[in-house]
Amino acid sequence: MSQKSYRLQEIADALGASLRGDPDIMVSGLATLQAAGPDQISFLANPAYGKYLQDTRAGAVILSPAAADDCPTNVLLLDNPYMGYARLSHWFDPAPVASAGVHPTAVVDESASIDSTASVGPHAVIEAGVHLGAHVVIGAGTVIGARSRIGDHTIIRPRVTLAHDIVVGQRCHILSGAVIGSDGFGFANDRGQWHRIAQLGGVVLGDDVEVGANTTIDRGALDSTVIGNGVKLDNLIQIAHNVHIGDHSAMAAMVGIAGSTRIGKHCVFGGASGVAGHLEIGDQVHLTGMTLVTGDIREPGVYSSGTSADTNRNWRKNAVRFRQLDSLARRIKELEKKSEG
C-alpha cells in the first residue's frame, strides 16, 4: 500500500484552519499526541489529554486557539479540533477501494439494474428488481432482496442482509452482519397459542445513515419502519417494526427500541438504553446509558434511570430499602396529617 503525504499548508487550506509554523513540512499519517512522530499530525480536543501536549513529537497538532500557546510544534487552529480530525481521517484511511464491476461469483438476477460505476463483490446475491445507484459498493456475501433500492455512493459491507422491498438512501454505510428488513415480532394469541402475522411493510433509510455491525432493523407490519436522514446506529442495536427515528439522532451499542415508537430529531441514546413500545419521544432527548423509558417524553433534555454500581453488600441493603419506599411514603403522609391537625 502506497503511503500518501501532504504539505501542511494543503491540509490547513482543506480544513479552513489557520496555520502557525512551517507550511512545507510533509504529513503522512495521523496519530495520538503520545505516539505521533515528526511526519504525523495529531489533535487535541479533550482537555484531559492536554498533559501530553508539551512532550508531543508530532509534526503538527490540530487544536483550538486557547491551547495554541502550549504547543511546541506547528499548529492548525480550529474552533472544533475534533471535527478537523474527523475530516482529515479520511485522507489516510487504508481501507481498500472497491473497483467498479460485478465479480464473476456474484449471483445477479437479469432484471436487476446496476449502475456501471457500482461494485458487487464475490458471492453477493442481487435479487430480482433490485436497483443499485452510482458508485454503490456491495461487499462479499451480501444479499440484496427483491425490489430493494440502494442510493448513490452507499457502501454495504460484507455479509449484510437486506430483505425484499428495502429503500436505502444516498451515502449510507451499513456494516457487516447487519440485517435490515427482517420480520417484526408480530404474533396473535388464540387460546394460548401464538400465530404469526405477516409483516407487509418495508424499511426506509434516509440519506447519510450509518448502521453498525450486527444491528437489526425490522420491517413494518403494515407501514414501513423509517430511519431519518443522518441517523447513526452503533453495533448490536435492535429497532423493532414500525419505529420512526428522526433526522440526525444517534444511538450507542445495545440500544433496543420496541415496536411503533417514534423518536424525534437530534436525540442521543446511551448504550444499553431501552424504549418501550408505542411511545412518543420528542426532539433533542438525551438518554444516559442503561436508561429504561416506559412513558412518553415530550420535553428536550437529559434523562436517566437505574442505579450506579456499588458493592454487593450496599446494593442489597439499598434494594431492601427501595421496596420499603411505598410504606415509608404512606407513613410520612400520616405524620403530615397529624402535624396539620
Side-chain angles (χ1 to χ4, degrees), residues 309-326:
D310 201 348
T311 64
N312 182 257
R313 183 177 180 181
N314 285 340
W315 184 87
R316 291 178 64 161
K317 288 180 180 178
N318 290 329
V320 171
R321 293 186 177 112
F322 183 79
R323 290 196 295 269
Q324 296 170 342
L325 286 178
D326 184 64

Side-chain angles (χ1 to χ4, degrees), residues 204-210 224-233 239 242-251 257 260-269 279-285:
V204 177
L205 271 59
D207 296 336
D208 304 296
V209 172
E210 302 231 0
S224 292
T225 302
V226 178
I227 311 298
N229 295 328
V231 169
K232 311 302 181 187
L233 302 178
I239 306 297
N242 300 108
V243 167
H244 284 225
I245 300 178
D247 295 350
H248 306 293
S249 291
M251 299 181 182
I257 311 296
S260 298
T261 284
R262 289 179 173 264
I263 312 293
K265 299 177 181 180
H266 300 283
C267 292
V268 178
F269 290 3
L279 298 183
E280 295 277 348
I281 308 297
D283 297 342
Q284 299 181 10
V285 169

Side-chain angles (χ1 to χ4, degrees), residues 69-158:
D69 292 341
D70 297 324
C71 186
T73 186
N74 304 293
V75 298
L76 298 181
L77 300 177
L78 282 174
D79 291 333
N80 188 345
Y82 198 68
M83 188 62 202
Y85 154 68
R87 292 174 58 192
L88 192 57
S89 67
H90 297 282
W91 291 35
F92 301 104
D93 187 355
V97 177
S99 299
V102 178
H103 194 275
T105 62
V107 178
V108 180
D109 189 274
E110 61 181 12
S111 65
S113 169
I114 300 176
D115 190 272
S116 61
T117 61
S119 173
V120 179
H123 302 288
V125 176
I126 310 297
E127 295 186 351
V130 166
H131 172 77
L132 304 183
H135 303 286
V136 166
V137 176
I138 305 297
T142 283
V143 177
I144 308 297
R147 300 176 299 278
S148 292
R149 302 182 62 82
I150 314 299
D152 298 348
H153 298 280
T154 284
I155 297 174
I156 301 181
R157 298 294 184 181

